[in-house]
Amino acid sequence: MNVQDKVIAIIAEQAVLQPSDVKLEHSLDDLGIDSLGLVESIFAIEEAFDVSVPFNANDPTASGFDISSVAAIIAAVEGLVRQKEAVGG
Amino acid sequence: MKRVVITGAGTINALGKNVAETMEAMREGRCGIGPLDIRDIDRLSVQIGGQVRDYDELAWFNRQQVALYDRFTQFTLLAAKEAIAQSGLRFEGELSTRSGVVLGTAGGGVNTWDENYRSVYEEGRNRVHPFVVPKLMNNAAASHVSMEYNLKGPAFTVATACASSNHAMGLAFQMIRSGMCSVILTGGSEAMLCFGGIKAWEGLRVMSRDACRPFSANRNGMVQGEGAATFVFEDYDHARARGAGILAEVTGFAMTSDAADIVMPSAQGAERAITGALADARMNPEDVGYINAHGTGTAANDKTECAAVSKAFGPHADRLMISSTKSMHGHLIGGTGAVELLACIMALRDGVIAPTIGYEEPDPECALDVVPNTAREARVTAVLSNAFAFGGLNAVLALRAI
């Protein structure tokens, strides 16, 4: 499973939807994921990709981890995974 | 109904090892938050807290006591010693049976849980010390206070997360007001600054890594603290009859539940607790000169709290002062309302309003007089103390100068 599919699977599980119902342009709001659901999704992402997501619930925009849409989250996770591989490589 | 007054206060927290030191730090706007000195700190992403520093348990307690007293119990006993000494009370005969202990803590013996889980899980040991259960239980502190001072009436512990102390003190108030008890040692304690206690909070992603800046636009979360504060709540007639010194009068209390969300606060729930406390105290909104805010420094709390205060007080919200002393001593979770009551007493008795330190940028959503950075001299005759807990549980106390 690539990063995109894995992230979508995590978000779908949180939203109690089929992965096929999660669209790239959806926001978390569209999917009915609240602040607690977001924090849980980020935890699941960290566990799945063995990365550390810089996210502070007090100021989601300050962390540089874009959560504005499913596509943005996937791009941000891809960035973190690349960083990790660069460091690990 | 009986009137209820405070005739003793005691504390130990990041700002000081007694009431005088703590109030001096509050007057000076000193910050007690700094780098944590705990085991495995390198595995924590949050590395600051309002820790009680240079604390040697063996300076206060003997080895047998240390084996039985978790850090939260030790803090409670030190605070109780100071409060009861100030009150001048001795509990014997009928007074003993009419006096009790009502304390708040969210986690109880968290250090004891942490150390012993480490021992059995990490180190693989199969045997723990025989006192683990009596040391970690949430009521350990209340029970040890009752034993130490011969308090034979009601004794129990309230656990409502960040509102624990306010709920405890509110119940103590009601129990004296109703005539059930003459004296209650009340307040709360927390000692959660250990690896597991901080790791759990890290998970929620509401913690700041650099400072607690309540109401400031650039705030980025809460910072944990530790310690205890306790108070002698006493029937006014009883206190007067023995010529006791009175610190303040407790005049009202209200508690509400948001019945909405397990972590997100509700302005309506908070507002109902504020207006409820005013009504219970028979105070008008205009009487209140100062509010000790819950003021955690999280986006969710600070905006909601300011909205609730604005709604509850109307135009008077712009005239009263509201500060969060968590900026100095950190968030003591279940013990926080107790330490914060000291700021209320200081306002009423000394006419000094503790500041909200770390305030750097105004936030239009928190546009109240938050007493930024520097303490202020002001005569106030009535104050409130807010506590709003996870789980949507709100508890507000009202006090008056006497």
Side-chain angles (χ1 to χ4, degrees):
Chain A
M1 220 191 267
N2 62 18
V3 171
Q4 172 160 333
D5 293 345
K6 244 178 171 173
V7 169
I8 287 178
I10 288 168
I11 291 173
E13 194 188 343
Q14 192 59 238
V16 203
L17 293 170
Q18 291 300 319
S20 55
D21 294 331
V22 175
K23 304 295 176 209
L24 289 176
E25 62 275 19
H26 277 148
S27 71
L28 296 180
D29 223 18
D30 296 335
L31 297 165
I33 295 178
D34 65 6
S35 61
L36 213 52
L38 167 61
V39 169
E40 231 185 324
S41 306
I42 287 173
F43 168 70
I45 287 168
E46 288 183 325
E47 290 285 286
F49 297 98
D50 190 23
V51 293
S52 187
V53 176
F55 177 81
N56 181 331
N58 294 291
D59 194 356
T61 53
S63 50
F65 187 83
D66 188 351
I67 53 160
S68 57
S69 68
V70 173
I73 294 173
I74 291 166
V77 174
E78 283 169 345
L80 289 173
V81 170
R82 267 198 307 279
Q83 264 178 38
K84 186 186 102 181
E85 283 165 356
V87 172
Chain B
M1 285 206 297
K2 304 283 191 184
R3 289 173 68 185
V4 182
V5 292
I6 303 175
T7 56
T11 190
I12 177 165
N13 64 81
L15 293 177
K17 293 192 167 58
N18 53 50
V19 170
E21 282 179 27
T22 301
M23 287 189 176
E24 184 187 293
M26 286 179 174
R27 274 197 298 272
E28 292 177 0
R30 213 183 298 148
C31 187
I33 293 167
L36 285 169
D37 176 18
I38 57 169
R39 194 169 161 186
D40 290 337
I41 186 82
D42 52 310
R43 285 181 56 212
L44 293 168
S45 67
V46 171
Q47 303 191 338
I48 58 166
Q51 194 170 16
V52 174
R53 281 166 213 286
D54 307 318
Y55 178 74
D56 176 12
E57 57 190 3
L58 289 167
W60 303 101
F61 304 102
N62 65 36
R63 289 202 178 276
Q64 286 94 326
Q65 289 172 319
V66 166
L68 210 44
Y69 299 168
D70 180 272
R71 194 169 167 94
F72 95 102
T73 298
Q74 295 180 19
F75 289 160
T76 308
L77 285 166
L78 293 174
K81 188 178 188 178
E82 186 186 4
I84 290 174
Q86 182 177 30
S87 77
L89 283 165
R90 282 178 58 84
F91 299 94
E92 289 163 343
E94 202 202 335
L95 179 62
S96 162
T97 57
R98 287 194 46 81
S99 300
V101 191
V102 183
L103 294 172
T105 186
V110 179
N111 276 277
T112 301
W113 284 106
D114 205 54
E115 283 159 21
N116 286 281
Y117 275 152
R118 198 189 277 281
S119 158
V120 293
Y121 293 146
E122 185 179 312
E123 292 158 16
R125 292 195 195 165
N126 280 330
R127 203 180 293 124
V128 297
H129 191 278
F131 297 165
V132 170
V133 167
K135 196 172 178 181
L136 63 75
M137 60 192 191
N138 276 31
N139 59 311
S143 295
H144 284 298
V145 169
S146 77
M147 288 182 260
E148 184 76 25
Y149 296 101
N150 197 34
L151 302 166
K152 293 184 169 169
F156 60 95
T157 298
V158 182
T160 50
C162 312
S164 303
S165 283
N166 270 24
H167 274 117
M169 295 187 291
L171 289 177
F173 161 66
Q174 291 177 337
M175 287 161 69
I176 294 173
R177 186 167 68 169
S178 71
M180 184 197 290
C181 292
S182 299
V183 178
I184 295 185
L185 189 289
T186 186
S189 170
E190 203 73 74
M192 234 183 234
L193 297 180
C194 55
F195 183 76
I198 295 169
K199 185 54 83 181
W201 278 99
E202 261 183 31
L204 261 177
R205 296 181 181 261
V206 294
M207 308 294 287
S208 170
R209 295 182 193 192
D210 49 16
C212 177
R213 300 182 201 88
F215 308 120
S216 185
N218 63 344
R219 66 192 177 276
N220 59 5
M222 54 177 268
V223 175
Q224 279 176 268
E226 67 171 357
T230 66
F231 303 89
V232 175
F233 279 19
E234 185 171 355
D235 170 0
Y236 172 73
D237 296 327
H238 189 271
R240 277 297 295 269
R242 65 186 188 89
I246 293 173
L247 300 174
E249 178 173 6
V250 187
T251 50
F253 174 58
M255 42 187 163
T256 65
S257 174
D258 297 342
D261 191 283
I262 197 69
V263 290
M264 290 304 283
S266 141
Q268 287 158 339
E271 182 203 338
R272 284 193 296 122
I274 292 168
T275 51
L278 290 173
D280 190 49
R282 296 167 196 267
M283 282 179 189
N284 296 313
E286 299 73 40
D287 298 342
V288 175
Y290 170 66
I291 301 174
N292 184 283
H294 191 55
T296 56
T298 63
N301 175 82
D302 294 2
K303 283 186 218 174
T304 308
E305 183 165 16
C306 289
V309 168
S310 298
K311 193 86 191 294
F313 284 91
H316 186 65
D318 295 326
R319 291 191 287 270
L320 56 76
M321 294 170 280
I322 175 169
S323 71
S324 169
T325 51
K326 285 187 179 73
S327 54
M328 295 181 273
H329 50 64
H331 191 338
L332 279 78
I333 317 293
T336 209
V339 170
E340 290 162 30
L341 201 72
L342 293 168
C344 293
I345 292 173
M346 186 169 81
L348 291 171
R349 197 192 53 178
D350 304 335
V352 177
I353 309 297
T356 304
I357 69 164
Y359 188 84
E360 293 170 353
E361 275 177 51
D363 176 354
E365 289 191 82
C366 303
L368 300 173
D369 178 1
V370 300
V371 196
N373 300 319
T374 312
R376 203 178 296 163
E377 286 190 18
R379 174 158 292 277
V380 296
T381 53
V383 304
L384 296 185
S385 186
N386 287 346
F388 309 127
F390 274 179
L393 310 184
N394 313 300
V396 177
L397 288 158
L399 291 89
R400 245 185 215 292
I402 190 162

